[in-house]
Amino acid sequence: MKMEAFLRGLRTLHEKHEKLKHTVHTAWRYPLPKWGQYAMGCVYFTIPVVGGWYVMQWAISKSVEEIGERGEKLQHKEVQGIGNKIIVDGKEQVVGAGGKFGGVHLAMS
């Protein structure tokens, strides 16, 4: 019984949302002049760029919080393997095509 009421509520919410979308995309449309189109283009370009910058600043602060400014909080400070090489039991081995685990050629940079 509760599930039916929940599903009915979801269906009603969906219908109201579709009605709102229809209203926004039909009744509220207003053709913008060239300067308005340019301004909106700037807004739509700027929002993800500025938002991305803030996300990166947050990620950097979390990184510093977790591993320190220069990695001083890390348990293992030396690099264990570079590129397609790993260290297993003290020996360097190749990973990927032609290596221990098979697979495809890894990108090397």
Side-chain angles (χ1 to χ4, degrees):
M1 198 67 161
K2 288 184 179 183
M3 188 62 150
E4 291 174 11
F6 176 71
L7 291 175
R8 199 172 29 248
L10 277 179
R11 210 170 297 115
T12 303
L13 178 66
H14 175 71
E15 290 167 359
K16 288 180 180 181
H17 182 244
E18 289 298 321
K19 184 178 178 185
L20 176 64
K21 285 193 320 190
H22 179 73
T23 302
V24 166
H25 292 284
T26 56
W28 293 354
R29 285 190 70 169
Y30 181 76
L32 293 174
K34 285 291 178 195
W35 66 267
Q37 292 174 5
Y38 177 77
M40 289 313 298
C42 290
V43 167
Y44 286 138
F45 172 79
T46 305
I47 288 173
V49 171
V50 172
W53 185 82
Y54 277 106
V55 168
M56 285 304 301
Q57 296 308 308
W58 174 81
I60 290 168
S61 71
K62 289 306 237 180
S63 172
V64 168
E65 206 176 282
E66 293 292 322
I67 66 171
E69 187 70 37
R70 298 278 178 215
E72 55 272 1
K73 295 180 182 179
L74 291 173
Q75 292 177 354
H76 303 286
K77 294 186 179 16
E78 294 86 32
V79 175
Q80 296 296 318
I82 298 175
N84 65 343
K85 296 176 177 51
I86 61 171
I87 298 176
V88 178
D89 297 328
K91 298 178 194 164
E92 189 175 88
Q93 296 182 351
V94 177
V95 177
K100 178 176 179 166
F101 302 112
V104 298
H105 288 282
L106 299 174
M108 298 295 295
S109 56

